[in-house]
Amino acid sequence: MSLDKALACVCSPALCGIKPAAIASFGSVRFLAESKKIAGLNRIFNKDGKFLTAIVRSKNLVLVFVYDRMLLASHILSRKELQYLASKGYPAGSGFEAIVQELLKRLEGNSDFPHEIGLFLGYPLEDVIGFERYNGTSCKFCGLWKVYGDVEYARRTCLLQRECRKLCRKWIEEGNSLPQVIAKYRRAAEKSAARRAVREVL
């Protein structure tokens, strides 16, 4: 599978601006072989406020944390979310960059994923807390994450993200590069939003 397709399969919702963040994993050998291309993609997406950051999990595994800075900041910097992160030992009073750097530090090495990773990936706080409280059991709905709160919101969000991934994979398979695919998705989304606005006016 090409690098563009691998990233599209997992990270396209974050790159398309409908999800705060996503994580893709690569074997160390492949990551080293693709590192220049990943750096090039990072430079391209940085212009639009998207970032690809490498995290070494082990000698054999590298994670690429992909995030939309604006979406992620709006998701984690609300009062309740900051209180939750502070309770987990994050520097909640030091701003966005300090919080993200703390997460990246916690993801380094071959330790368990921290429970709060769900918050950074865009899951509602209620669901993050519920997953931890019930150890992943007794959820109301299981889609792209385990839901303990608003099921209808989760269904709509899961559907949107799955459709995004499916469409982006299709465009990659048709020969488009990842930046071309993301630009194409955004144009389609803008047209769809414009059509909805017209229908509401009429």
Side-chain angles (χ1 to χ4, degrees):
M1 183 185 295
S2 71
L3 174 67
D4 282 13
K5 187 174 181 180
L7 288 172
C9 286
V10 180
C11 302
S12 52
L15 292 170
C16 287
I18 61 174
K19 188 178 192 291
I23 296 178
S25 60
F26 296 91
S28 298
V29 173
R30 182 176 185 191
F31 176 81
L32 288 173
E34 303 275 23
S35 59
K36 288 185 178 179
K37 185 169 184 180
I38 292 172
L41 288 171
N42 188 41
R43 287 192 295 272
I44 292 170
F45 289 122
N46 283 175
K47 299 172 186 176
D48 196 36
K50 314 292 195 305
F51 297 84
L52 289 74
T53 302
I55 306 161
V56 178
R57 282 291 279 177
S58 70
K59 66 178 182 179
N60 297 317
L61 181 65
V62 177
L63 305 179
V64 177
F65 182 63
V66 178
Y67 67 97
D68 180 312
R69 192 187 191 286
M70 185 175 68
L71 281 183
L72 184 55
S74 68
H75 190 69
I76 67 172
L77 296 183
S78 298
R79 182 177 59 85
K80 288 183 179 180
E81 282 73 12
L82 283 174
Q83 289 175 344
Y84 171 78
L85 290 173
S87 75
K88 294 294 184 180
Y90 283 75
S94 299
F96 176 79
E97 296 297 339
I99 293 172
V100 170
Q101 288 305 311
E102 177 64 22
L103 172 70
L104 298 179
K105 185 173 70 174
R106 294 184 184 200
L107 290 174
E108 289 178 353
N110 199 21
S111 57
D112 292 336
F113 274 71
H115 281 293
E116 66 273 9
I117 185 64
L119 186 65
F120 292 88
L121 296 177
Y123 308 156
L125 179 59
E126 184 177 7
D127 296 338
V128 175
I129 293 173
F131 183 87
E132 186 172 6
R133 178 177 297 157
Y134 298 108
N135 198 29
T137 65
S138 306
C139 62
K140 297 178 183 178
F141 172 71
C142 185
L144 296 175
W145 72 91
K146 293 190 175 181
V147 179
Y148 295 85
D150 189 337
V151 172
E152 286 310 308
Y153 167 81
R155 289 185 191 277
R156 292 194 304 271
T157 302
C158 289
L159 179 61
L160 179 63
Q161 292 182 16
R162 284 181 172 135
E163 289 179 341
C164 174
R165 289 173 178 165
K166 182 178 179 180
L167 193 55
C168 288
R169 286 198 303 268
K170 174 179 177 291
W171 286 336
I172 289 285
E173 290 166 356
E174 289 175 352
N176 296 281
S177 69
L178 186 59
Q180 288 172 331
V181 163
I182 302 308
K184 194 171 182 177
Y185 182 90
R186 290 183 64 186
R187 288 194 298 270
E190 288 167 2
K191 288 181 181 178
S192 179
R195 286 195 295 269
R196 286 197 302 270
V198 170
R199 285 197 298 268
E200 288 173 4
V201 170
L202 297 176

